């Protein structure tokens, strides 16, 4: 990470924090829907599978959005969408609403991922991109190994706690995006080109 500029490091850390929230909630979603919503296993399977499928289809527009909107702002909006949707899941037991919020979470994560990669591609040379993408992949794996451990204790406290953690981590990721101003982005690009 020391080879990257502060702007790129903030982007990678923001990705790590946001994915940490998703990794905290994902392993416990089936348990939450079963124990808190009192849904049968078949319904839970359809809801989780259907929401992932729908969000994957919606995620196809991630590249279009990244091309037509400011990538940093798009990532911030995605974080807010994740946070709000994760919280709203805990306030409803209506199947369609739960499906909608779960689709929003996964679709926002997909859009955020596409915007991050596009922004890194803008800031870095081809040689540096490989290292940045590799570091992002490593941080995602680390997040998915730590997140469930953190939420396991929280789940024993309250069924909705992993979703609260997802919302909290998504909000925590946004300041890391705000701090990257145009001056830092320009210096990051200049550093990358000089190397």
């Amino acid at each position: 990470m020391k080879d990257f500029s502060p702007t790129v490091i903030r982007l990678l850390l923001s990705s790590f924090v946001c994915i940490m929230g998703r990794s905290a909630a994902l392993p416990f979603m089936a348990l939450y829907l079963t124990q808190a919503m009192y849904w049968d296993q078949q319904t839970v399977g359809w809801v989780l599978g259907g929401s992932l499928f729908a969000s994957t289809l919606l995620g196809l527009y991630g590249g279009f959005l990244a091309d037509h909107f400011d990538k940093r702002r798009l990532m911030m909006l995605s974080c807010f969408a994740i946070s709000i949707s994760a919280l709203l899941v805990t306030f409803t037991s209506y199947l369609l609403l739960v499906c909608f919020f779960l689709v929003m979470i996964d679709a926002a994560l997909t859009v955020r991922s596409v915007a991050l990669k596009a922004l890194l591609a803008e800031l870095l040379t081809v040689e540096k991109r490989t290292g940045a993408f590799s570091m992002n992949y490593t941080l995602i794996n680390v997040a998915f190994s730590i997140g469930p451990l953190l939420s396991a204790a929280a789940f024993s406290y309250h069924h909705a706690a992993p979703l609260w953690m997802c919302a909290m981590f998504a909000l925590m990721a946004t300041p890391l995006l705000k701090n990257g101003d145009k001056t830092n982005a320009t210096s990051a690009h200049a550093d990358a080109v000089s190397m």
Side-chain angles (χ1 to χ4, degrees):
M1 291 262 280
K2 63 182 181 180
D3 294 333
F4 300 123
S5 69
T7 299
V8 173
I9 291 173
R10 278 196 299 271
L11 289 172
L12 293 173
L13 289 178
S14 174
S15 176
F16 171 74
V17 172
C18 189
I19 296 299
M20 180 84 84
R22 183 59 177 137
S23 69
L26 184 62
F28 295 93
M29 280 310 303
L31 290 173
Y32 174 77
L33 295 176
T34 302
Q35 296 182 15
M37 305 289 188
Y38 303 105
W39 291 349
D40 60 77
Q41 295 164 345
Q42 186 175 9
T43 302
V44 170
W46 279 108
V47 167
L48 293 179
S51 63
L52 283 173
F53 178 74
S55 63
T56 301
L57 293 179
L58 290 174
L60 295 174
Y61 291 101
F64 172 82
L65 294 173
D67 287 338
H68 290 81
F69 297 98
D70 179 69
K71 295 168 186 61
R72 197 179 304 271
R73 186 169 296 161
L74 189 60
M75 292 168 67
M76 290 175 65
L77 288 173
S78 295
C79 287
F80 285 124
I82 293 165
S83 182
I84 292 169
S85 298
L87 283 177
L88 290 178
V89 167
T90 65
F91 286 102
T92 184
S93 59
Y94 291 105
L95 190 141
L96 289 179
L97 281 177
V98 171
C99 284
F100 174 76
F101 294 137
L102 292 178
V103 167
M104 287 298 295
I105 291 171
D106 288 321
L109 281 166
T110 301
V111 169
R112 190 188 188 287
S113 175
V114 171
L116 171 67
K117 291 173 184 173
L119 189 55
L120 289 175
E122 285 182 3
L123 294 175
L124 299 170
T125 60
V126 175
E127 294 78 16
K128 301 283 279 185
R129 286 176 203 163
T130 304
F133 292 154
S134 177
M135 179 58 68
N136 185 50
Y137 181 75
T138 300
L139 290 173
I140 288 172
N141 286 335
V142 171
F144 266 98
S145 64
I146 296 174
L149 296 176
L150 295 176
S151 60
F155 185 78
S156 64
Y157 170 73
H158 195 283
H159 293 149
L163 285 162
W164 298 339
M165 290 179 67
C166 179
M168 179 188 69
F169 277 114
L171 283 181
M172 288 170 57
T174 53
L176 292 167
L177 296 168
K178 276 185 182 178
N179 290 338
D181 59 327
K182 290 182 179 179
T183 304
N184 288 335
T186 304
S187 66
H189 184 67
D191 291 344
V193 170
S194 65
M195 295 181 148

